[in-house]
Amino acid sequence: MDTSSAPAAVTPGFSTVAVHGARVLRDDASDGAERPAGRPVVTPLVQSVNFTQPFGTEDGLRYTRYGNVPNAESVQTRLALLEGAEAALVCASGMGATACTMLALLRPGDHLLSSAWIYGGTHKLFTQELPAFGVEVTFVDPTKQRDWRRSVRKTTRAVFVESPVNPTTRVLDLRPLARMSSELGLALVVDSTFASPINFRPLEHGADVVIHSATKYLNGHHDVLGGAVAGAASVIEEVRQKMIVWGQAPDPFACWLLERGMKTLDVRVRRQSENAQRLAEWCESRGEIARVLYPGLPSHPDHDVARDTLDGFGGMMAIELEGGGEAAERFVKRLRVITHAPSLGGVDSLVSEPRYTSHAHLTVAERAKAGVPDGFLRISVGIENVEDLIADVEQALA
Ligand SMILES: Cc1ncc(COP(=O)(O)O)c(C=O)c1O
């Protein structure tokens, strides 16, 4: 055996990539070569909108709104690596990421096929804004494969789904949709905010573009608004062009905070998944709770799909209290550790009532039909000690 040979190269894991970015993938990444003494360990915040420009050429122009300043590029590289994408882009918000992606993929006269189970803001974008640009949208029950096929038109260009679904935690099987999209030459776009790249990487399952509200798990600390898009370099460049003219680029400080948040993504999401599993199992044993929705429970309608396709069941769960809206209000008021607030994916556990947030515009009957009857509460499980979360829920139920 030749003991002088170099050790076999090891592909860095998600956490290593999230902490170090592309640096660890390079052969010259040793401290001596790449990090001379005195260099900061943390990516410096370059809070500058303008950068000196080379003479006599338009190349090399850097400007914050173009998405090519140092702190944006540093996050984009990490995200592309985590999603297994050629390229990624950070935007000012999740909605900005979805809007710019749609503007890049669709033209007047085109048709978009969308899952009916999507975040309320995205639904508004598709029903109120895209039609004004001459784009027609058809919503499909995502579990009905035949309906997807039947709804395809000659003008269909893209398919949009969200999984796991906000707020019901339903998990979609992308595989048949990916087959259909590739057969018909449609772009399959997946909002993977709830899973984060730790638990699911849609591009590995045949998606073309993945979108995140980076406000949620990617940042994870309730202090940054951001969005992200990842996919083929040519598509991401088109999305970037839309981001530039629609003014959807993030500020360098938001990118810097996002990079700091992403360093702990793996440990946070694993802990949140463990906590959510324990809390969901405990909730299932309680008579005051009529229904518990968590993909890690065998009782979840998509447990098998979740087990087959996700690397972890995630930190999002929902409960439906016996006693409807009144019981939910009493419960939420009594919570001490879990905070009543919108949004999700951060280190603090949060609870929200869709009847006052994403589903406020629907009637009671419509909400019930959408799977979120009054009494339904979405819980974004944080990284606290799970015993304290269980005790908090127990005292609030008492
Ligand atoms: C699944 C999902 N996608 C997109 C968004 C929009 O993200 P943002 O609030 O960062 O614009 C949200 C926000 O709640 C969401 O839950």
Side-chain angles (χ1 to χ4, degrees):
M1 190 178 141
D2 178 7
T3 50
S4 66
S5 62
V10 176
T11 310
F14 288 119
S15 211
T16 309
V17 168
V19 172
H20 295 282
R23 199 182 68 75
V24 282
L25 301 178
R26 290 198 288 269
D27 291 339
D28 61 353
S30 65
D31 270 0
E34 177 148 305
R35 294 189 299 186
R39 277 273 196 93
V41 169
V42 172
T43 308
L45 168 62
V46 184
Q47 188 68 23
S48 184
V49 169
N50 305 113
F51 291 79
T52 52
Q53 190 179 348
F55 298 104
T57 172
E58 60 185 321
D59 294 340
L61 194 65
R62 279 184 191 258
Y63 186 54
T64 294
R65 184 164 47 77
Y66 292 7
N68 61 0
V69 296
N71 293 103
E73 287 190 335
S74 184
V75 173
Q76 285 163 181
T77 311
R78 270 177 176 72
L79 187 73
L81 289 169
L82 291 174
E83 287 290 357
E86 264 178 25
L89 185 72
V90 272
C91 296
S93 68
M95 285 308 299
T98 307
C100 291
T101 303
M102 291 303 137
L103 288 167
L105 293 175
L106 303 166
R107 300 284 173 272
D110 285 351
H111 174 239
L112 170 70
L113 262 186
S114 172
S115 163
W117 300 350
I118 54 175
Y119 165 63
T122 314
H123 191 266
K124 248 188 208 167
L125 174 73
F126 290 177
T127 51
Q128 295 178 13
E129 302 299 322
L130 290 189
F133 286 86
V135 172
E136 285 192 51
V137 185
T138 304
F139 292 98
V140 178
D141 175 336
T143 57
K144 302 216 163 92
Q145 284 312 317
R146 279 207 193 137
D147 288 6
W148 284 111
R149 289 237 167 219
R150 256 191 237 132
S151 308
V152 173
R153 301 181 191 168
K154 278 202 179 110
T155 51
T156 309
R157 296 283 170 264
V159 175
F160 182 94
V161 296
E162 176 182 304
S163 181
V165 175
N166 185 4
T168 59
T169 77
R170 294 294 301 264
V171 180
L172 307 186
D173 190 353
L174 280 196
R175 296 165 291 192
L177 267 182
R179 276 196 296 276
M180 181 191 87
S181 301
S182 121
E183 196 184 300
L184 302 175
L186 311 176
L188 177 58
V189 183
V190 179
D191 181 334
S192 190
T193 297
F194 264 39
S196 94
I198 301 304
N199 284 341
F200 191 60
R201 292 163 301 286
L203 303 184
E204 289 176 4
H205 299 261
D208 299 291
V209 181
V210 53
I211 289 177
H212 287 279
S213 165
T215 317
K216 313 299 185 320
Y217 286 100
L218 290 180
N219 172 58
H221 291 76
H222 315 276
D223 52 11
V224 171
L225 189 73
V229 190
S234 56
V235 175
I236 296 306
E237 182 49 31
E238 291 198 19
V239 181
R240 194 169 79 91
Q241 293 306 323
K242 297 299 174 192
M243 182 184 82
I244 291 173
V245 291
W246 289 89
Q248 287 300 315
D251 185 76
F253 185 47
C255 297
W256 187 86
L257 281 174
L258 185 52
E259 177 170 325
R260 188 172 69 161
M262 281 172 68
K263 287 184 184 227
T264 55
L265 179 67
D266 185 51
V267 282
R268 280 188 284 109
V269 169
R270 281 171 198 271
R271 167 76 165 218
Q272 285 163 317
S273 301
E274 274 168 34
N275 278 359
Q277 182 78 38
R278 288 267 309 275
L279 184 60
E281 283 169 6
W282 183 88
C283 286
E284 224 179 19
S285 69
R286 298 293 301 211
E288 304 93 327
I289 301 176
R291 195 165 61 124
V292 184
L293 279 163
Y294 180 65
L297 294 177
S299 59
H300 189 279
D302 309 312
H303 179 63
D304 290 343
V305 175
R307 222 183 30 208
D308 282 358
T309 58
L310 304 182
D311 291 340
F313 297 118
M316 297 304 300
M317 58 177 280
I319 57 176
E320 190 188 319
L321 293 181
E322 292 285 1
E326 271 179 36
E329 199 161 321
R330 263 198 316 274
F331 173 80
V332 165
K333 272 190 190 154
R334 283 190 194 147
L335 287 168
R336 291 175 192 158
V337 179
I338 303 174
T339 306
H340 183 224
S343 201
L344 60 110
V347 290
D348 297 34
S349 292
L350 303 180
V351 63
S352 70
E353 278 188 89
R355 66 180 170 143
Y356 294 129
T357 56
S358 55
H359 291 64
H361 59 291
L362 302 179
T363 63
V364 176
E366 284 169 339
R367 282 199 287 269
K369 193 163 170 249
V372 284
D374 291 358
F376 180 105
L377 296 169
R378 185 189 75 183
I379 303 176
S380 169
V381 181
I383 63 164
E384 300 93 338
N385 295 91
V386 71
E387 296 76 15
D388 295 326
L389 298 178
I390 291 173
D392 196 31
V393 172
E394 187 167 30
Q395 65 80 26
L397 286 174

